[in-house]
Amino acid sequence: MSQNTEVQVQQEMTQQQLSEQEAIRREKLRKLVEAGNDPYTITRYDRTHTSQQILDNYDELENKEVCIAGRMMARRIMGKASFAHLQDNDGKIQIYVKRDDVGEEDYAAFKQDDIGDIFGVKGFVFKTKTGEVSVHASQIVLLSKSLKPLPEKFHGLTDTDMRYRQRYVDLIMNPESKDALVKRSKIINAIRRYLDTQNFIEVETPVLVHNAGGAAARPFMTHFNALDVDMKLRISLELYLKRLIVGGMERVYEIGRVFRNEGIDTRHNPEFTLMELYQAYTDYHGMMDLTENMYRYVAQEVLGTTTIVYNGVEMDLGKPFERITMLDAVKKYSGVDFNEIHTLEEARAIAKEHHIEFEKRHKKGDILNLFFETYVEEHLIQPTFVMDHPIEISPLTKKKPENPEYVERFEFFMNGWEMANAYSELNDPIDQRERFAAQEEQFKQGDEEANHTDEDFLNALEIGMPPTGGIGYGIDRMVMLLTDSSSIRDVLLFPTMKPQA
């Protein structure tokens, strides 16, 4: 028998065993219903305590009556008494079920119940001879029947594809998965608390848009039947938030899903969470200060430290973040000084010399960025602001007055990843129209990620936008770093998956 055939046979046997277990559980449910004990008719169970509250307050609760509820994860039957572990949102706690205390009929029913079933338990708090805090049951109620067996307890749910597809089982079996996803919520709440202290207002802007601008990405297309118009899912939050700055809302932010029609890998999902904020009367230096302070605050609030460890590498958020220009970074790591490269021909020649592939439409600034991506990004492990990007790759950013080939922009890097992107926002409507025109030309030359002209946004700029600093943060990557998660799918409750055949 070949190895592949043997694996297939084992899988079929496992599936057959599962099917048999499912049939047995359904038969048990049928008998419960016939006996008038259908668990699905129970509408509520009033708990008094969670598992952690009992463990944390044992001295106060010893010998006191409590009501708990949770999923049975393990059981040990010992004749007229049994031990089991119930799992709730906070963790696990042991219950002691004795026939003489719950009644012969209920005890017999409990012995027929299955791992994965959900119970309500009333009883008093005590410690076993081994010192384990437990609940001695006086009443036990089956609240929900599990018709499918959980994965085998010693191995859990280890298949990563199945973990993402059946997140509900992953959360039951893998505490570390739940911990990362709970921390995600705490991280976002900490961000909101920090921005509240800085007088920012949280807003919501459209997800369905006519013009998906504000980033270099391919949008998802859809059709709005009522108006018979094609629309797009937003790829960014930028242009609507800037309209609010024009309207006099001087500090605004939004945390929301954006959608980019791109590939999937450990750091990319086609729908992801972006936070963008805009502050009037500041610039990209103000955005650097805000980013530094916010990252420190969030780490301290959620982790209790400003030193984080990702994949064994320590990163220190407590020290001042490094600030370096893109030109200096490329020179440092590639040895090429783009200050000495003055023409497109020279840029192409140096790219060929370093085996960097470029497209015909690429200009000198695009080639500088290709050098940066090739030579620099992987070295930016500690928190680093890379500043002053070429104008060709920054269509919404204010030019540097002393050097208009470059703009007042930075990207924030940690662990070799881009974590945020910020500008001194372009508020000159004439310059912005010219930049949009250049982007339209790029689109004609084959750049599917180029921006398109947004006439209403230009109209807003003509009304007048004050000097403004703006920034976009990848929330999922931030959560990955703060939870030491290896894939973006580990920090999304329901990542995008290819449909099963």
Side-chain angles (χ1 to χ4, degrees):
M1 183 184 295
S2 70
Q3 185 175 3
N4 288 341
T5 304
E6 185 176 348
V7 169
Q8 185 177 355
V9 169
Q10 289 175 346
Q11 289 175 341
E12 289 174 353
M13 289 175 62
T14 301
Q15 187 58 49
Q16 183 179 355
Q17 290 168 351
L18 289 176
S19 298
E20 290 173 356
Q21 289 187 48
E22 290 170 19
I24 292 170
R25 290 184 179 218
R26 288 176 183 271
E27 177 63 17
K28 289 180 180 180
L29 175 63
R30 186 188 65 78
K31 290 180 178 178
L32 286 169
V33 173
E34 284 184 353
N37 296 319
D38 184 353
Y40 301 129
T41 61
I42 298 174
T43 58
R44 63 182 289 167
Y45 186 84
D46 293 325
R47 293 189 296 181
T48 61
H49 296 79
T50 67
S51 60
Q52 197 61 49
Q53 287 170 341
I54 294 172
L55 296 174
D56 290 343
N57 299 283
Y58 173 75
D59 290 341
E60 177 186 336
L61 293 173
E62 185 180 12
N63 294 321
K64 299 286 180 61
E65 186 176 83
V66 296
C67 291
I68 61 172
R71 187 183 300 274
M72 184 164 67
M73 301 300 294
R75 180 179 54 188
R76 188 169 75 256
I77 297 174
M78 305 181 328
K80 298 178 182 180
S82 298
F83 286 96
H85 279 95
L86 294 192
Q87 178 172 290
D88 61 13
N89 185 67
D90 290 356
K92 294 179 183 177
I93 191 164
Q94 180 171 263
I95 62 171
Y96 175 62
V97 185
K98 190 176 180 182
R99 185 191 66 180
D100 294 344
D101 294 323
V102 299
E104 190 168 340
E105 184 177 335
D106 285 350
Y107 185 69
F110 175 70
K111 291 201 296 182
Q112 290 299 309
D113 292 326
D114 295 296
I115 301 300
D117 289 352
I118 297 173
F119 294 91
V121 176
K122 179 190 287 188
F124 65 86
V125 178
F126 78 111
K127 277 186 180 178
T128 64
K129 293 178 181 179
T130 60
E132 183 172 354
V133 176
S134 307
V135 175
H136 186 135
S138 59
Q139 181 188 68
I140 184 163
V141 181
L142 178 64
L143 302 176
S144 183
K145 183 70 183 166
S146 176
L147 298 181
K148 288 182 177 291
L150 294 173
E152 197 271 328
K153 65 179 181 178
F154 293 108
H155 299 99
L157 183 63
T158 56
D159 181 278
T160 53
D161 186 77
M162 191 59 67
R163 283 180 53 223
Y164 302 141
R165 290 187 187 278
Q166 295 187 15
R167 180 67 84 188
Y168 40 90
V169 180
D170 182 36
L171 293 172
I172 294 169
M173 301 303 299
N174 297 321
E176 65 279 4
S177 293
K178 184 176 180 180
D179 181 63
L181 292 160
V182 169
K183 277 198 174 79
R184 176 192 178 96
S185 178
K186 292 180 178 179
I187 289 165
I188 292 173
N189 285 335
I191 290 171
R192 287 190 167 107
R193 288 197 301 274
Y194 176 76
L195 293 178
D196 282 347
T197 69
Q198 304 302 306
N199 299 316
F200 279 85
I201 297 173
E202 185 173 10
V203 298
E204 294 178 306
T205 62
V207 174
L208 281 175
V209 296
H210 296 290
N211 188 343
R218 291 169 56 190
F220 286 94
M221 308 294 292
T222 188
H223 186 79
F224 183 25
N225 292 332
L227 296 180
D228 193 25
V229 293
D230 289 332
M231 300 192 77
K232 301 168 184 175
L233 296 178
R234 65 186 181 187
I235 60 173
S236 168
L237 313 173
E238 180 167 349
L239 300 186
Y240 280 99
L241 291 176
K242 285 183 182 178
R243 286 169 168 89
L244 298 180
I245 295 288
V246 171
M249 298 178 72
E250 295 179 357
R251 297 187 181 211
V252 294
Y253 77 96
E254 180 173 7
I255 300 174
R257 284 293 176 102
V258 297
F259 308 85
R260 299 183 182 179
N261 201 345
E262 58 188 19
I264 297 174
D265 60 29
T266 57
R267 283 184 284 156
H268 294 87
N269 194 71
E271 60 171 310
F272 62 97
T273 302
L274 182 65
M275 182 178 81
E276 293 197 33
L277 64 82
Y278 293 84
Q279 179 180 339
Y281 308 111
T282 190
D283 61 3
Y284 72 145
H285 291 289
M287 294 297 101
M288 289 185 218
D289 294 339
L290 184 147
T291 298
E292 227 176 297
N293 292 331
M294 186 185 77
Y295 258 76
R296 286 194 192 110
Y297 176 89
V298 171
Q300 189 65 51
E301 285 284 296
V302 177
L303 305 179
T305 178
T306 57
T307 300
I308 65 173
V309 178
Y310 184 83
N311 197 25
V313 177
E314 190 173 284
M315 286 165 268
D316 190 351
L317 296 169
K319 295 179 180 178
F321 294 4
E322 182 181 358
R323 303 186 182 197
I324 188 171
T325 66
M326 181 177 280
L327 285 168
D328 287 344
V330 168
K331 182 179 179 180
K332 177 179 179 179
Y333 291 105
S334 75
V336 176
D337 187 355
F338 268 77
N339 281 313
E340 302 300 321
I341 296 173
H342 304 290
T343 67
L344 177 57
E345 289 70 26
E346 291 174 342
R348 286 175 172 171
I350 200 71
K352 290 177 182 177
E353 184 180 322
H354 286 75
H355 307 291
I356 291 179
E357 296 183 2
F358 58 88
E359 298 179 26
K360 184 178 181 181
R361 61 183 174 81
H362 283 152
K363 297 181 171 57
K364 188 179 83 168
D366 297 297
I367 294 174
L368 169 61
N369 189 53
L370 292 173
F371 267 82
F372 174 77
E373 292 174 349
T374 303
Y375 284 99
V376 181
E377 287 187 1
E378 64 180 334
H379 297 286
L380 304 178
I381 304 302
Q382 297 302 317
T384 304
F385 296 119
V386 178
M387 308 179 296
D388 303 347
H389 293 50
I391 193 171
E392 291 91 340
I393 62 169
S394 312
L396 298 165
T397 316
K398 190 171 284 192
K399 297 175 185 174
K400 292 184 69 65
E402 70 279 12
N403 190 354
E405 289 187 11
Y406 296 89
V407 297
E408 294 192 349
R409 172 185 175 186
F410 74 80
E411 291 174 297
F412 173 48
F413 282 84
M414 287 180 65
N415 193 51
W417 303 348
E418 179 194 341
M419 305 297 294
N421 186 24
Y423 314 149
S424 295
E425 302 297 335
L426 179 57
N427 62 342
D428 178 346
I430 297 171
D431 187 0
Q432 183 64 80
R433 183 174 290 279
E434 292 172 354
R435 305 271 195 100
F436 276 144
Q439 286 287 296
E440 295 283 9
E441 185 60 34
Q442 289 286 86
F443 182 76
K444 290 178 182 177
Q445 293 182 28
D447 184 357
E448 294 181 343
E449 296 183 347
N451 280 235
H452 294 284
T453 303
D454 188 327
E455 289 293 345
D456 183 71
F457 176 65
L458 289 170
N459 185 66
L461 290 186
E462 289 173 358
I463 297 295
M465 186 174 85
T468 297
I471 187 166
Y473 299 91
I475 296 297
D476 306 302
R477 292 186 186 178
M478 182 180 189
V479 176
M480 286 176 67
L481 280 185
L482 295 180
T483 61
D484 196 12
S485 298
S486 60
S487 171
I488 191 173
R489 294 183 176 191
D490 294 328
V491 299
L492 296 174
L493 281 167
F494 301 102
T496 303
M497 303 290 291
K498 184 178 180 180
Q500 288 182 306

